[in-house]
């Protein structure tokens, strides 16, 4: 069994275990999911939301999407090379409690509903619906930003330092393929 | 009233800045105010995001209420759980102190 962190680290080390999509757009995600036999509206919606995050918060810099299946599990990774969650989240003027928090704790905060780097009403959706998907399926997610790593397995959360820090943000998901 | 999302937004109803959203919002709002039921067809689109739903229906939910929008705006096929939950989330996030 391949672990999600191994997949994330393989990408950060430049030796990805998953194929890179040539088309990192909504259509690219749709076609890749179809090719993998994963016509799943909820996964499509979550991946598109993460793509929107990468475009906006990652300043549309070098967005890479990786996707593949392995022994009954679907894997996807979206990586951007923007400033990272630790830089965008504290810009929200309504979030007074970001000072002194670790990079992993900031990622944990960003996963909560309505928490966003923009401070705009209604925003802060992408990482939160990823968390909801992981809670509602047999699934895992992993977010690396700066030196922080945040993992969710079902309803269990883990924060720690990343073994391989990254510029920008990397979001990875693993979902059991429904038969 | 029937709205075919493909006619407004194309195959991917994705970004909250999609230029079709103001017209879609106005269309639904007017129909509801006239007492119409709105049937939204998703049959010819490939995807819709929670951001798109929030930007489109969020202001109407605040104005007319969550229950009315749930009852009178009907999707075909129905919204999947993560998407359907966005209507409730839009109501909550738009009526409470944002984070």
């Amino acid at each position: 069994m391949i672990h999600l962190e191994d997949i994330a680290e393989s990408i950060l080390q430049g030796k990805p275990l998953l194929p890179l999509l040539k088309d990192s757009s909504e259509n690219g995600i749709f076609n890749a999911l179809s090719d993998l036999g994963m016509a799943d509206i909820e996964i499509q919606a979550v991946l598109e939301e993460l793509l929107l995050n990468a475009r906006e918060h990652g300043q549309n810099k070098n967005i890479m999407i990786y996707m593949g299946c392995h022994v009954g599990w679907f894997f996807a990774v979206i990586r951007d090379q923007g400033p990272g969650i630790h830089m965008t989240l504290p810009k929200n003027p309504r979030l007074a409690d970001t000072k002194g928090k670790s990079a992993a704790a900031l990622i944990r905060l960003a996963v909560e509903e309505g928490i966003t780097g923009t401070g705009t009403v209604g925003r802060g959706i992408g990482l939160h619906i990823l968390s909801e998907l992981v809670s509602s399926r047999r699934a895992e997610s992993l977010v690396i930003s700066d030196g922080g790593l945040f993992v969710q397995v079902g309803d269990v959360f883990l924060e720690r330092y990343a073994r391989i820090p990254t510029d920008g943000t990397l979001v990875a998901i693993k979902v059991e393929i429904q038969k | 009233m029937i709205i075919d999302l493909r006619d407004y937004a194309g195959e991917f109803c994705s970004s909250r800045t999609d230029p079709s959203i103001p017209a879609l919002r106005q269309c639904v709002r007017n129909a509801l105010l006239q007492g119409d039921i709105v049937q939204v067809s998703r049959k010819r689109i490939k995807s819709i995001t929670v951001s798109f739903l929030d930007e489109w229906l969020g202001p109407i939910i605040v104005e007319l209420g969550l229950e009315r929008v749930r009852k009178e705006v009907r999707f075909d096929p129905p919204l999947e759980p993560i998407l359907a939950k966005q209507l409730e989330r839009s109501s909550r996030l738009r009526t409470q102190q944002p984070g």
Side-chain angles (χ1 to χ4, degrees), chain A residues 55-66:
Chain A
R55 283 181 182 153
E56 182 176 10
H57 303 299
Q59 301 172 347
N60 215 0
K61 282 184 185 170
N62 204 15
I63 298 168
M64 287 166 283
I65 304 175
Y66 302 82

Side-chain angles (χ1 to χ4, degrees), chain A residues 47-60:
Chain A
L47 292 177
E48 281 191 31
E49 208 66 52
L50 295 173
L51 175 62
L52 294 174
N53 272 2
R55 283 181 182 153
E56 182 176 10
H57 303 299
Q59 301 172 347
N60 215 0

